[in-house]
């Protein structure tokens, strides 16, 4: 029971990351399952089976909110499914001893990419709600992303989402929503590949359900978290976490000495701290710029409001002429002169 509770917390933490960044469920949960002692194939299989439920719920939510481009979903999802099935088949036929360094190394590379990407240059996008990318980019991108996702236990988001966001030709909400929706196809294909290669031997329904339950609980919390914590800071923190957990797996596999572990973790800790500080500083600068722009806009609105409601200057009435007809005419002429004084002649 205690193990299932811990696994549910793993699923919760992974979904918090994924829901906030649009990536990271597979990487985070696979890293923690490897740390708990599961083999790479079983860890990836368990994660993908649990992701069938979480990606289905996520994709449906994005579709209801209008965050998806159907053409982008199909052009990514179908080749991604082919790549994921191939990657699951390859990983299923590797021995645990051979697969451990492969999976951990892939996750370390992905973690380093996420760490540097979010700390140094957080991805941005345009406002285009329909992706202009064609099959020449999307098909190979889906194949590579699906293969890496299956063999590494995660990686669809870091490979596909960051590539599309880096291009800056599609709105971020469309990228995240479409990639999340297409991940359902990738997850189903990867799960089918693992079940074909491994069967059901060694796959614990308790582990899968615990991960799924934690992910479903975390989904609304992630939606709240993404509005509170800057994405650059969260992405940098997650990248460092992925590096730290998989470095331990590699050191254990290589039977490295304690001194080597201390040196490597010391260097990683120093680099992680520096990147986090940089991300926090950039986030504060960005927030300050937003506040200044907001204050400037509000001041312009207040100034325009005061000008629109300013009282008109009173114009004294002229005495009526002897003929008794000058009252209203004199007032209108005075007002006309007053308005004429306010006209600025073009230069």
């Amino acid at each position: 029971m205690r193990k299932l509770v811990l696994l549910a917390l793993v699923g919760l933490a992974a979904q918090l990351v994924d829901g906030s960044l649009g990536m990271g469920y597979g990487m985070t949960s696979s890293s923690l399952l490897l740390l708990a002692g599961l083999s790479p194939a079983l860890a990836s299989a368990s994660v993908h089976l649990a992701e069938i439920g979480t990606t289905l719920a996520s994709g449906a939510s994005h579709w209801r909110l209008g965050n998806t481009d159907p053409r982008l979903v199909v052009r990514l999802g179908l080749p991604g499914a082919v790549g994921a099935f191939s990657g699951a088949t390859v990983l299923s036929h590797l021995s645990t001893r051979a697969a451990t360094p492969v999976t951990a190394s892939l996750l370390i590379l992905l973690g380093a990419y996420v760490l540097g990407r979010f700390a140094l240059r957080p991805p941005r996008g345009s406002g285009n709600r329909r992706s202009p990318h064609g099959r020449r980019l999307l098909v190979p991108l889906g194949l590579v992303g699906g293969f890496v996702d299956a063999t590494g236990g995660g990686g669809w988001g870091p490979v596909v989402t960051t590539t599309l966001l880096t291009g800056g030709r599609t709105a971020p909400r469309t990228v995240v929503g479409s990639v999340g929706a297409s991940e359902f196809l990738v997850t189903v294909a990867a799960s089918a590949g693992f079940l074909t290669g491994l069967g059901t031997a060694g796959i614990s329904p308790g582990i899968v359900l615990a991960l799924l339950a934690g992910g479903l609980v975390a989904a609304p919390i992630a939606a709240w978290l993404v509005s509170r914590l800057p994405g650059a800071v969260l992405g940098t923190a997650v990248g460092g976490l992925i590096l730290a957990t998989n470095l331990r797996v590699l050191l254990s596999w290589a039977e490295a000495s304690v001194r080597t572990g201390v040196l490597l973790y010391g260097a990683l800790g120093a680099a992680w701290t520096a990147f986090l500080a940089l991300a926090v500083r950039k986030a504060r600068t960005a927030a300050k710029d937003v506040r200044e722009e907001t204050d400037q806009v509000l001041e312009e609105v207040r100034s325009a409001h005061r000008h629109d409601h300013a009282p008109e200057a009173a114009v004294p009435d002229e005495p009526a002429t002897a003929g008794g007809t000058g009252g209203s005419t004199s007032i209108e002429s005075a007002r006309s002169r007053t308005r004429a004084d306010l006209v600025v002649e073009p230069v």
Side-chain angles (χ1 to χ4, degrees):
M1 183 63 185
R2 182 180 178 183
K3 182 179 180 181
L4 293 179
V5 172
L6 291 175
L7 289 173
L9 292 176
V10 168
L12 188 145
Q15 184 59 39
L16 284 176
V17 172
D18 193 86
S20 302
L21 294 177
M23 65 183 77
Y25 184 91
M27 289 190 302
T28 306
S29 52
S30 294
S31 298
L32 295 175
L33 289 178
L34 286 175
L35 195 62
L38 269 70
S39 69
L42 288 178
S44 187
S46 301
V47 168
H48 282 91
L49 286 170
E51 276 190 303
I52 291 178
T54 58
T55 55
L56 179 60
S58 176
S61 299
H62 283 300
W63 177 76
R64 284 197 304 268
L65 294 172
N67 294 338
T68 59
D69 177 359
R71 187 181 66 171
L72 182 60
V73 172
V74 173
R75 289 185 175 182
L76 281 175
L78 292 181
V82 174
F85 186 87
S86 303
T89 304
V90 170
L91 187 61
S92 299
H93 290 86
L94 287 177
S95 67
T96 301
R97 179 71 181 174
T100 297
V102 173
T103 303
S105 298
L106 277 174
L107 288 169
I108 282 179
L109 291 175
L110 290 171
Y113 179 78
V114 172
L115 175 66
R117 185 77 178 102
F118 280 91
L120 300 176
R121 191 181 176 188
R124 298 180 179 180
S126 70
N128 193 359
R129 298 297 302 278
R130 291 187 63 84
S131 176
H133 297 294
R135 293 187 180 90
R136 294 180 62 182
L137 170 68
L138 298 179
V139 171
L141 179 62
L143 285 170
V144 173
F147 188 87
V148 171
D149 187 79
T151 54
W156 178 253
V159 172
V160 179
T161 301
T162 51
T163 299
L164 294 178
L165 286 179
T166 301
R169 301 175 64 187
T170 309
R173 60 179 290 188
T174 301
V175 171
V176 173
S178 300
V179 172
S182 62
E183 190 174 7
F184 173 72
L185 300 175
V186 175
T187 299
V188 170
S191 300
F194 283 118
L195 291 175
T196 301
L198 297 174
T200 57
I203 298 178
S204 170
I207 292 176
V208 175
L209 291 176
L211 288 173
L212 176 60
L216 294 178
V217 169
I221 303 174
W224 174 87
L225 183 63
V226 72
S227 64
R228 297 292 187 274
L229 191 61
V233 177
L234 185 59
T236 305
V238 170
L241 175 64
I242 294 168
L243 285 174
T245 53
N246 287 282
L247 178 59
R248 185 180 184 279
V249 173
L250 275 183
L251 291 175
S252 176
W253 172 82
E255 299 179 354
S257 64
V258 175
R259 181 181 178 182
T260 301
V262 170
L263 290 175
L264 290 177
Y265 269 104
L268 174 61
W272 192 6
T273 302
F275 277 116
L276 269 176
L278 178 62
V280 169
R281 187 175 65 181
K282 286 189 173 184
R284 287 178 175 175
T285 302
K288 182 180 178 182
D289 292 341
V290 170
R291 283 196 301 269
E292 290 177 352
E293 291 178 2
T294 303
D295 292 341
Q296 183 179 357
V297 171
L298 289 176
E299 182 60 32
E300 291 176 356
V301 171
R302 293 192 191 101
S303 177
H305 182 75
R306 287 194 297 265
H307 182 270
D308 291 340
H309 290 77
E312 293 186 2
V315 180
D317 294 343
E318 292 186 0
T321 60
T325 60
S328 60
T329 305
S330 300
I331 293 174
E332 289 301 323
S333 62
R335 287 178 176 170
S336 299
R337 287 195 302 271
T338 304
R339 285 193 292 267
D341 291 340
L342 297 177
V343 176
V344 179
E345 295 291 339
V347 179

